[in-house]
PDB file of all heavy atoms in Angstrom:
ATOM      1  N   VAL A   9     -10.404  -2.520  11.196  1.00 90.00           N
ATOM      2  CA  VAL A   9      -9.325  -2.499  10.226  1.00 90.00           C
ATOM      3  C   VAL A   9      -8.209  -1.630  10.697  1.00 90.00           C
ATOM      4  O   VAL A   9      -8.422  -0.519  11.238  1.00 90.00           O
ATOM      5  CB  VAL A   9      -9.884  -1.893   8.812  1.00 90.00           C
ATOM      6  CG1 VAL A   9      -8.684  -1.622   7.891  1.00 90.00           C
ATOM      7  CG2 VAL A   9     -10.799  -2.951   8.225  1.00 90.00           C
ATOM      8  N   GLU A  10      -6.963  -2.112  10.640  1.00 94.00           N
ATOM      9  CA  GLU A  10      -5.784  -1.316  11.045  1.00 94.00           C
ATOM     10  C   GLU A  10      -4.797  -1.390   9.883  1.00 94.00           C
ATOM     11  O   GLU A  10      -4.593  -2.389   9.201  1.00 94.00           O
ATOM     12  CB  GLU A  10      -5.205  -1.715  12.367  1.00 94.00           C
ATOM     13  CG  GLU A  10      -4.580  -3.086  12.385  1.00 94.00           C
ATOM     14  CD  GLU A  10      -3.986  -3.425  13.731  1.00 94.00           C
ATOM     15  OE1 GLU A  10      -4.442  -2.930  14.762  1.00 94.00           O
ATOM     16  OE2 GLU A  10      -3.024  -4.253  13.746  1.00 94.00           O
ATOM     17  N   GLY A  11      -4.120  -0.265   9.652  1.00 95.00           N
ATOM     18  CA  GLY A  11      -3.135  -0.176   8.528  1.00 95.00           C
ATOM     19  C   GLY A  11      -1.824  -0.793   8.927  1.00 95.00           C
ATOM     20  O   GLY A  11      -1.466  -0.899  10.082  1.00 95.00           O
ATOM     21  N   LEU A  12      -1.129  -1.217   7.953  1.00 96.00           N
ATOM     22  CA  LEU A  12       0.266  -1.704   8.074  1.00 96.00           C
ATOM     23  C   LEU A  12       1.188  -0.487   8.459  1.00 96.00           C
ATOM     24  O   LEU A  12       0.859   0.632   8.021  1.00 96.00           O
ATOM     25  CB  LEU A  12       0.792  -2.355   6.855  1.00 96.00           C
ATOM     26  CG  LEU A  12       0.667  -3.916   6.779  1.00 96.00           C
ATOM     27  CD1 LEU A  12      -0.795  -4.305   6.843  1.00 96.00           C
ATOM     28  CD2 LEU A  12       1.253  -4.445   5.478  1.00 96.00           C
ATOM     29  N   THR A  13       2.222  -0.765   9.173  1.00 96.00           N
ATOM     30  CA  THR A  13       3.227   0.276   9.384  1.00 96.00           C
ATOM     31  C   THR A  13       4.109   0.398   8.104  1.00 96.00           C
ATOM     32  O   THR A  13       4.174  -0.556   7.328  1.00 96.00           O
ATOM     33  CB  THR A  13       4.171  -0.103  10.585  1.00 96.00           C
ATOM     34  OG1 THR A  13       4.885  -1.279  10.221  1.00 96.00           O
ATOM     35  CG2 THR A  13       3.400  -0.343  11.845  1.00 96.00           C
ATOM     36  N   PRO A  14       4.790   1.557   7.922  1.00 97.00           N
ATOM     37  CA  PRO A  14       5.667   1.696   6.787  1.00 97.00           C
ATOM     38  C   PRO A  14       6.724   0.535   6.668  1.00 97.00           C
ATOM     39  O   PRO A  14       6.983  -0.030   5.605  1.00 97.00           O
ATOM     40  CB  PRO A  14       6.324   3.039   6.991  1.00 97.00           C
ATOM     41  CG  PRO A  14       5.273   3.832   7.695  1.00 97.00           C
ATOM     42  CD  PRO A  14       4.683   2.855   8.614  1.00 97.00           C
ATOM     43  N   LYS A  15       7.208   0.184   7.838  1.00 96.00           N
ATOM     44  CA  LYS A  15       8.196  -0.938   7.888  1.00 96.00           C
ATOM     45  C   LYS A  15       7.627  -2.274   7.407  1.00 96.00           C
ATOM     46  O   LYS A  15       8.325  -2.981   6.639  1.00 96.00           O
ATOM     47  CB  LYS A  15       8.717  -1.086   9.341  1.00 96.00           C
ATOM     48  CG  LYS A  15       9.800  -2.118   9.533  1.00 96.00           C
ATOM     49  CD  LYS A  15      10.232  -2.309  10.961  1.00 96.00           C
ATOM     50  CE  LYS A  15      11.294  -3.418  11.090  1.00 96.00           C
ATOM     51  NZ  LYS A  15      11.633  -3.681  12.533  1.00 96.00           N
ATOM     52  N   GLU A  16       6.367  -2.567   7.831  1.00 96.00           N
ATOM     53  CA  GLU A  16       5.711  -3.788   7.400  1.00 96.00           C
ATOM     54  C   GLU A  16       5.451  -3.706   5.859  1.00 96.00           C
ATOM     55  O   GLU A  16       5.652  -4.659   5.090  1.00 96.00           O
ATOM     56  CB  GLU A  16       4.366  -3.969   8.118  1.00 96.00           C
ATOM     57  CG  GLU A  16       4.616  -4.386   9.627  1.00 96.00           C
ATOM     58  CD  GLU A  16       3.205  -4.334  10.326  1.00 96.00           C
ATOM     59  OE1 GLU A  16       2.413  -3.461  10.041  1.00 96.00           O
ATOM     60  OE2 GLU A  16       2.998  -5.221  11.130  1.00 96.00           O
ATOM     61  N   PHE A  17       5.038  -2.555   5.383  1.00 97.00           N
ATOM     62  CA  PHE A  17       4.771  -2.420   3.955  1.00 97.00           C
ATOM     63  C   PHE A  17       6.020  -2.569   3.092  1.00 97.00           C
ATOM     64  O   PHE A  17       5.992  -3.212   2.054  1.00 97.00           O
ATOM     65  CB  PHE A  17       4.112  -1.048   3.703  1.00 97.00           C
ATOM     66  CG  PHE A  17       3.776  -0.802   2.234  1.00 97.00           C
ATOM     67  CD1 PHE A  17       2.794  -1.444   1.634  1.00 97.00           C
ATOM     68  CD2 PHE A  17       4.612   0.027   1.466  1.00 97.00           C
ATOM     69  CE1 PHE A  17       2.514  -1.319   0.213  1.00 97.00           C
ATOM     70  CE2 PHE A  17       4.316   0.199   0.134  1.00 97.00           C
ATOM     71  CZ  PHE A  17       3.322  -0.439  -0.487  1.00 97.00           C
ATOM     72  N   ARG A  18       7.105  -1.945   3.544  1.00 96.00           N
ATOM     73  CA  ARG A  18       8.357  -1.976   2.788  1.00 96.00           C
ATOM     74  C   ARG A  18       8.838  -3.464   2.601  1.00 96.00           C
ATOM     75  O   ARG A  18       9.559  -3.710   1.636  1.00 96.00           O
ATOM     76  CB  ARG A  18       9.445  -1.131   3.493  1.00 96.00           C
ATOM     77  CG  ARG A  18       9.167   0.338   3.290  1.00 96.00           C
ATOM     78  CD  ARG A  18      10.393   1.162   3.772  1.00 96.00           C
ATOM     79  NE  ARG A  18      10.024   2.592   3.809  1.00 96.00           N
ATOM     80  CZ  ARG A  18       9.765   3.269   4.894  1.00 96.00           C
ATOM     81  NH1 ARG A  18       9.805   2.639   6.092  1.00 96.00           N
ATOM     82  NH2 ARG A  18       9.526   4.551   4.826  1.00 96.00           N
ATOM     83  N   GLN A  19       8.482  -4.333   3.508  1.00 97.00           N
ATOM     84  CA  GLN A  19       8.960  -5.741   3.394  1.00 97.00           C
ATOM     85  C   GLN A  19       8.357  -6.385   2.099  1.00 97.00           C
ATOM     86  O   GLN A  19       8.918  -7.426   1.650  1.00 97.00           O
ATOM     87  CB  GLN A  19       8.485  -6.531   4.624  1.00 97.00           C
ATOM     88  CG  GLN A  19       9.326  -6.191   5.814  1.00 97.00           C
ATOM     89  CD  GLN A  19       8.712  -6.754   7.146  1.00 97.00           C
ATOM     90  OE1 GLN A  19       7.684  -7.416   7.102  1.00 97.00           O
ATOM     91  NE2 GLN A  19       9.339  -6.542   8.214  1.00 97.00           N
ATOM     92  N   GLN A  20       7.321  -5.794   1.488  1.00 96.00           N
ATOM     93  CA  GLN A  20       6.751  -6.365   0.284  1.00 96.00           C
ATOM     94  C   GLN A  20       7.493  -5.880  -0.985  1.00 96.00           C
ATOM     95  O   GLN A  20       7.183  -6.378  -2.051  1.00 96.00           O
ATOM     96  CB  GLN A  20       5.305  -5.933   0.191  1.00 96.00           C
ATOM     97  CG  GLN A  20       4.423  -6.466   1.340  1.00 96.00           C
ATOM     98  CD  GLN A  20       2.989  -5.925   1.267  1.00 96.00           C
ATOM     99  OE1 GLN A  20       2.230  -6.339   0.428  1.00 96.00           O
ATOM    100  NE2 GLN A  20       2.670  -4.977   2.107  1.00 96.00           N
ATOM    101  N   LYS A  21       8.536  -5.010  -0.730  1.00 96.00           N
ATOM    102  CA  LYS A  21       9.392  -4.564  -1.865  1.00 96.00           C
ATOM    103  C   LYS A  21       8.543  -3.871  -3.012  1.00 96.00           C
ATOM    104  O   LYS A  21       8.773  -4.162  -4.181  1.00 96.00           O
ATOM    105  CB  LYS A  21      10.132  -5.730  -2.443  1.00 96.00           C
ATOM    106  CG  LYS A  21      11.056  -6.488  -1.417  1.00 96.00           C
ATOM    107  CD  LYS A  21      12.326  -5.782  -1.169  1.00 96.00           C
ATOM    108  CE  LYS A  21      13.382  -6.602  -0.432  1.00 96.00           C
ATOM    109  NZ  LYS A  21      13.025  -6.910   0.946  1.00 96.00           N
ATOM    110  N   ILE A  22       7.531  -3.127  -2.614  1.00 96.00           N
ATOM    111  CA  ILE A  22       6.706  -2.405  -3.624  1.00 96.00           C
ATOM    112  C   ILE A  22       7.047  -0.884  -3.542  1.00 96.00           C
ATOM    113  O   ILE A  22       7.011  -0.323  -2.468  1.00 96.00           O
ATOM    114  CB  ILE A  22       5.204  -2.591  -3.235  1.00 96.00           C
ATOM    115  CG1 ILE A  22       4.712  -4.069  -3.452  1.00 96.00           C
ATOM    116  CG2 ILE A  22       4.336  -1.637  -4.074  1.00 96.00           C
ATOM    117  CD1 ILE A  22       4.401  -4.472  -4.839  1.00 96.00           C
ATOM    118  N   ASN A  23       7.442  -0.384  -4.710  1.00 97.00           N
ATOM    119  CA  ASN A  23       7.639   1.063  -4.853  1.00 97.00           C
ATOM    120  C   ASN A  23       6.447   1.708  -5.516  1.00 97.00           C
ATOM    121  O   ASN A  23       6.151   1.445  -6.678  1.00 97.00           O
ATOM    122  CB  ASN A  23       8.926   1.366  -5.667  1.00 97.00           C
ATOM    123  CG  ASN A  23       9.210   2.808  -5.793  1.00 97.00           C
ATOM    124  OD1 ASN A  23       8.402   3.675  -5.389  1.00 97.00           O
ATOM    125  ND2 ASN A  23      10.367   3.146  -6.318  1.00 97.00           N
ATOM    126  N   ILE A  24       5.601   2.447  -4.695  1.00 97.00           N
ATOM    127  CA  ILE A  24       4.393   3.023  -5.176  1.00 97.00           C
ATOM    128  C   ILE A  24       4.564   3.852  -6.430  1.00 97.00           C
ATOM    129  O   ILE A  24       3.721   3.782  -7.342  1.00 97.00           O
ATOM    130  CB  ILE A  24       3.686   3.759  -4.060  1.00 97.00           C
ATOM    131  CG1 ILE A  24       3.208   2.851  -2.904  1.00 97.00           C
ATOM    132  CG2 ILE A  24       2.474   4.558  -4.555  1.00 97.00           C
ATOM    133  CD1 ILE A  24       2.818   3.522  -1.648  1.00 97.00           C
ATOM    134  N   LEU A  25       5.658   4.558  -6.490  1.00 97.00           N
ATOM    135  CA  LEU A  25       5.944   5.470  -7.585  1.00 97.00           C
ATOM    136  C   LEU A  25       6.276   4.737  -8.898  1.00 97.00           C
ATOM    137  O   LEU A  25       6.412   5.413  -9.958  1.00 97.00           O
ATOM    138  CB  LEU A  25       6.979   6.516  -7.300  1.00 97.00           C
ATOM    139  CG  LEU A  25       6.617   7.509  -6.113  1.00 97.00           C
ATOM    140  CD1 LEU A  25       7.683   8.441  -5.774  1.00 97.00           C
ATOM    141  CD2 LEU A  25       5.265   8.185  -6.447  1.00 97.00           C
ATOM    142  N   ASN A  26       6.366   3.468  -8.832  1.00 97.00           N
ATOM    143  CA  ASN A  26       6.654   2.615 -10.054  1.00 97.00           C
ATOM    144  C   ASN A  26       5.365   2.394 -10.848  1.00 97.00           C
ATOM    145  O   ASN A  26       5.342   1.875 -11.893  1.00 97.00           O
ATOM    146  CB  ASN A  26       7.267   1.314  -9.751  1.00 97.00           C
ATOM    147  CG  ASN A  26       8.760   1.415  -9.411  1.00 97.00           C
ATOM    148  OD1 ASN A  26       9.346   2.472  -9.647  1.00 97.00           O
ATOM    149  ND2 ASN A  26       9.267   0.357  -8.845  1.00 97.00           N
ATOM    150  N   TYR A  27       4.233   2.795 -10.228  1.00 98.00           N
ATOM    151  CA  TYR A  27       2.916   2.527 -10.780  1.00 98.00           C
ATOM    152  C   TYR A  27       2.241   3.779 -11.279  1.00 98.00           C
ATOM    153  O   TYR A  27       2.454   4.882 -10.722  1.00 98.00           O
ATOM    154  CB  TYR A  27       2.021   1.736  -9.774  1.00 98.00           C
ATOM    155  CG  TYR A  27       2.655   0.435  -9.365  1.00 98.00           C
ATOM    156  CD1 TYR A  27       3.593   0.387  -8.404  1.00 98.00           C
ATOM    157  CD2 TYR A  27       2.458  -0.692 -10.157  1.00 98.00           C
ATOM    158  CE1 TYR A  27       4.264  -0.869  -8.128  1.00 98.00           C
ATOM    159  CE2 TYR A  27       3.070  -1.894  -9.933  1.00 98.00           C
ATOM    160  CZ  TYR A  27       3.996  -1.934  -8.900  1.00 98.00           C
ATOM    161  OH  TYR A  27       4.644  -3.139  -8.619  1.00 98.00           O
ATOM    162  N   THR A  28       1.383   3.668 -12.307  1.00 97.00           N
ATOM    163  CA  THR A  28       0.735   4.861 -12.867  1.00 97.00           C
ATOM    164  C   THR A  28      -0.762   4.853 -12.571  1.00 97.00           C
ATOM    165  O   THR A  28      -1.457   5.839 -12.902  1.00 97.00           O
ATOM    166  CB  THR A  28       0.945   4.853 -14.398  1.00 97.00           C
ATOM    167  OG1 THR A  28       0.383   3.647 -14.985  1.00 97.00           O
ATOM    168  CG2 THR A  28       2.413   4.970 -14.771  1.00 97.00           C
ATOM    169  N   ALA A  29      -1.252   3.785 -11.959  1.00 97.00           N
ATOM    170  CA  ALA A  29      -2.761   3.704 -11.720  1.00 97.00           C
ATOM    171  C   ALA A  29      -2.960   2.907 -10.438  1.00 97.00           C
ATOM    172  O   ALA A  29      -2.296   1.814 -10.246  1.00 97.00           O
ATOM    173  CB  ALA A  29      -3.462   3.154 -12.845  1.00 97.00           C
ATOM    174  N   ILE A  30      -3.879   3.343  -9.575  1.00 97.00           N
ATOM    175  CA  ILE A  30      -4.191   2.583  -8.366  1.00 97.00           C
ATOM    176  C   ILE A  30      -5.656   2.076  -8.493  1.00 97.00           C
ATOM    177  O   ILE A  30      -6.550   2.791  -8.929  1.00 97.00           O
ATOM    178  CB  ILE A  30      -4.200   3.513  -7.180  1.00 97.00           C
ATOM    179  CG1 ILE A  30      -2.845   4.316  -7.102  1.00 97.00           C
ATOM    180  CG2 ILE A  30      -4.278   2.626  -5.839  1.00 97.00           C
ATOM    181  CD1 ILE A  30      -1.591   3.502  -7.002  1.00 97.00           C
ATOM    182  N   VAL A  31      -5.852   0.818  -8.115  1.00 96.00           N
ATOM    183  CA  VAL A  31      -7.179   0.186  -8.184  1.00 96.00           C
ATOM    184  C   VAL A  31      -7.720   0.113  -6.726  1.00 96.00           C
ATOM    185  O   VAL A  31      -7.173  -0.564  -5.898  1.00 96.00           O
ATOM    186  CB  VAL A  31      -7.185  -1.242  -8.820  1.00 96.00           C
ATOM    187  CG1 VAL A  31      -8.555  -1.819  -8.845  1.00 96.00           C
ATOM    188  CG2 VAL A  31      -6.558  -1.139 -10.224  1.00 96.00           C
ATOM    189  N   PHE A  32      -8.836   0.773  -6.510  1.00 95.00           N
ATOM    190  CA  PHE A  32      -9.436   0.769  -5.117  1.00 95.00           C
ATOM    191  C   PHE A  32     -10.716  -0.046  -5.076  1.00 95.00           C
ATOM    192  O   PHE A  32     -11.661   0.196  -5.878  1.00 95.00           O
ATOM    193  CB  PHE A  32      -9.777   2.187  -4.676  1.00 95.00           C
ATOM    194  CG  PHE A  32      -8.504   3.024  -4.342  1.00 95.00           C
ATOM    195  CD1 PHE A  32      -8.354   4.295  -4.911  1.00 95.00           C
ATOM    196  CD2 PHE A  32      -7.594   2.506  -3.440  1.00 95.00           C
ATOM    197  CE1 PHE A  32      -7.237   5.025  -4.595  1.00 95.00           C
ATOM    198  CE2 PHE A  32      -6.428   3.312  -3.168  1.00 95.00           C
ATOM    199  CZ  PHE A  32      -6.276   4.579  -3.696  1.00 95.00           C
ATOM    200  N   THR A  33     -10.767  -1.024  -4.132  1.00 90.00           N
ATOM    201  CA  THR A  33     -11.921  -1.891  -3.974  1.00 90.00           C
ATOM    202  C   THR A  33     -12.799  -1.486  -2.796  1.00 90.00           C
ATOM    203  O   THR A  33     -13.867  -1.994  -2.539  1.00 90.00           O
ATOM    204  CB  THR A  33     -11.545  -3.320  -3.879  1.00 90.00           C
ATOM    205  OG1 THR A  33     -10.584  -3.419  -2.771  1.00 90.00           O
ATOM    206  CG2 THR A  33     -10.863  -3.823  -5.146  1.00 90.00           C
ATOM    207  N   SER A  34     -12.266  -0.552  -1.947  1.00 89.00           N
ATOM    208  CA  SER A  34     -12.997  -0.155  -0.740  1.00 89.00           C
ATOM    209  C   SER A  34     -12.461   1.163  -0.208  1.00 89.00           C
ATOM    210  O   SER A  34     -11.403   1.673  -0.614  1.00 89.00           O
ATOM    211  CB  SER A  34     -12.835  -1.215   0.327  1.00 89.00           C
ATOM    212  OG  SER A  34     -11.560  -1.181   0.879  1.00 89.00           O
ATOM    213  N   ARG A  35     -13.261   1.753   0.696  1.00 90.00           N
ATOM    214  CA  ARG A  35     -12.828   3.013   1.357  1.00 90.00           C
ATOM    215  C   ARG A  35     -11.635   2.757   2.263  1.00 90.00           C
ATOM    216  O   ARG A  35     -10.764   3.592   2.401  1.00 90.00           O
ATOM    217  CB  ARG A  35     -13.991   3.601   2.148  1.00 90.00           C
ATOM    218  CG  ARG A  35     -15.117   4.070   1.368  1.00 90.00           C
ATOM    219  CD  ARG A  35     -16.222   4.727   2.198  1.00 90.00           C
ATOM    220  NE  ARG A  35     -17.342   5.151   1.391  1.00 90.00           N
ATOM    221  CZ  ARG A  35     -18.300   5.852   1.921  1.00 90.00           C
ATOM    222  NH1 ARG A  35     -18.311   6.193   3.203  1.00 90.00           N
ATOM    223  NH2 ARG A  35     -19.335   6.236   1.182  1.00 90.00           N
ATOM    224  N   HIS A  36     -11.576   1.549   2.843  1.00 92.00           N
ATOM    225  CA  HIS A  36     -10.447   1.149   3.692  1.00 92.00           C
ATOM    226  C   HIS A  36      -9.180   1.273   2.884  1.00 92.00           C
ATOM    227  O   HIS A  36      -8.080   1.673   3.407  1.00 92.00           O
ATOM    228  CB  HIS A  36     -10.630  -0.252   4.241  1.00 92.00           C
ATOM    229  CG  HIS A  36     -11.685  -0.346   5.287  1.00 92.00           C
ATOM    230  ND1 HIS A  36     -11.773   0.490   6.399  1.00 92.00           N
ATOM    231  CD2 HIS A  36     -12.669  -1.283   5.431  1.00 92.00           C
ATOM    232  CE1 HIS A  36     -12.759   0.101   7.128  1.00 92.00           C
ATOM    233  NE2 HIS A  36     -13.419  -0.914   6.595  1.00 92.00           N
ATOM    234  N   ALA A  37      -9.270   0.800   1.627  1.00 95.00           N
ATOM    235  CA  ALA A  37      -8.051   0.706   0.758  1.00 95.00           C
ATOM    236  C   ALA A  37      -7.611   2.167   0.457  1.00 95.00           C
ATOM    237  O   ALA A  37      -6.423   2.491   0.549  1.00 95.00           O
ATOM    238  CB  ALA A  37      -8.377   0.036  -0.569  1.00 95.00           C
ATOM    239  N   ILE A  38      -8.536   3.061   0.285  1.00 96.00           N
ATOM    240  CA  ILE A  38      -8.187   4.553   0.001  1.00 96.00           C
ATOM    241  C   ILE A  38      -7.538   5.121   1.222  1.00 96.00           C
ATOM    242  O   ILE A  38      -6.489   5.767   1.182  1.00 96.00           O
ATOM    243  CB  ILE A  38      -9.483   5.295  -0.356  1.00 96.00           C
ATOM    244  CG1 ILE A  38      -9.986   4.920  -1.714  1.00 96.00           C
ATOM    245  CG2 ILE A  38      -9.174   6.832  -0.408  1.00 96.00           C
ATOM    246  CD1 ILE A  38     -11.339   5.462  -2.169  1.00 96.00           C
TER     247      ILE A  38
END
């Protein structure tokens, strides 16, 4: 498993601070 780069992530137009809860399905996600 390899993580996305910040640049790749930003392309999804997601602002993490707009959310109040995170759902984790695996340690990789964490």
Side-chain angles (χ1 to χ4, degrees):
V9 168
E10 66 178 29
L12 264 61
T13 64
K15 184 182 176 184
E16 288 172 322
F17 178 74
R18 287 191 188 103
Q19 288 170 359
Q20 297 175 74
K21 304 280 193 293
I22 292 278
N23 181 352
I24 292 168
L25 296 179
N26 283 348
Y27 299 87
T28 58
I30 313 295
V31 181
F32 287 129
T33 54
S34 70
R35 292 182 184 188
H36 289 311
I38 293 174

